[in-house]
Amino acid sequence: MKRLIDRVLPTGAWRCAFFIVIAVGISAAGQLPTTPGLVLGAATTLVASGYCLLNFWRCREAHCIISGTGWAALGLFETAELAVGHSLIHRNEGAVFIAILVIAAAFEAYWRTRHGTNAVRATGSYQS
């Protein structure tokens, strides 16, 4: 499975393009009318979440566990907002997305300082 994930996850210039598309999607979602904005926001958020969760499973990078699960929760929340027909947080989903990213980066900085690596290992061995 890990070899398949290695083929699926974008690398190099494709990774940069992937994250540009995510940034544009999150930015554009807040500018669209409510329903299309929530659809774009939820789709973009869930794709970003999927990337991070797969990357965490593959590489164990500390930030990915926070961003992957946080964005999955946000994506499900946006999907629930679609079901009720309006934003429950006054169209601030993009700000929540960025807040999750900041928390994930802070967690990784903490983890790296504490363990000397950005990899989270279940075995208790924290070597790069």
Side-chain angles (χ1 to χ4, degrees):
M1 278 305 281
K2 288 186 177 186
R3 287 186 188 134
L4 175 63
I5 298 307
D6 286 342
R7 287 188 213 134
V8 171
L9 292 179
T11 59
W14 289 111
R15 182 182 301 174
C16 183
F18 175 83
F19 286 114
I20 289 170
V21 168
I22 295 296
V24 168
I26 294 299
S27 297
Q31 305 305 313
L32 295 174
T34 302
T35 300
L38 289 173
V39 168
L40 179 59
T44 304
T45 300
L46 290 170
V47 167
S49 170
Y51 175 91
C52 282
L53 291 172
L54 288 173
N55 192 56
F56 179 75
W57 180 67
R58 181 66 185 104
C59 301
R60 311 302 289 181
E61 292 180 11
H63 71 273
C64 282
I65 192 64
I66 304 298
S67 57
T69 56
W71 290 338
L74 177 59
L76 293 175
F77 180 77
E78 289 170 309
T79 303
E81 288 179 318
L82 276 166
V84 298
H86 61 89
S87 174
L88 299 171
I89 57 174
H90 311 289
R91 301 298 308 270
N92 287 311
E93 293 80 10
V96 173
F97 184 96
I98 297 300
I100 292 167
L101 178 60
V102 168
I103 292 166
F107 175 73
E108 182 158 315
Y110 162 78
W111 190 269
R112 186 171 206 56
T113 300
R114 180 89 165 101
H115 299 284
T117 180
N118 66 341
V120 177
R121 303 271 184 229
T123 62
S125 171
Y126 298 108
Q127 297 177 12
S128 316

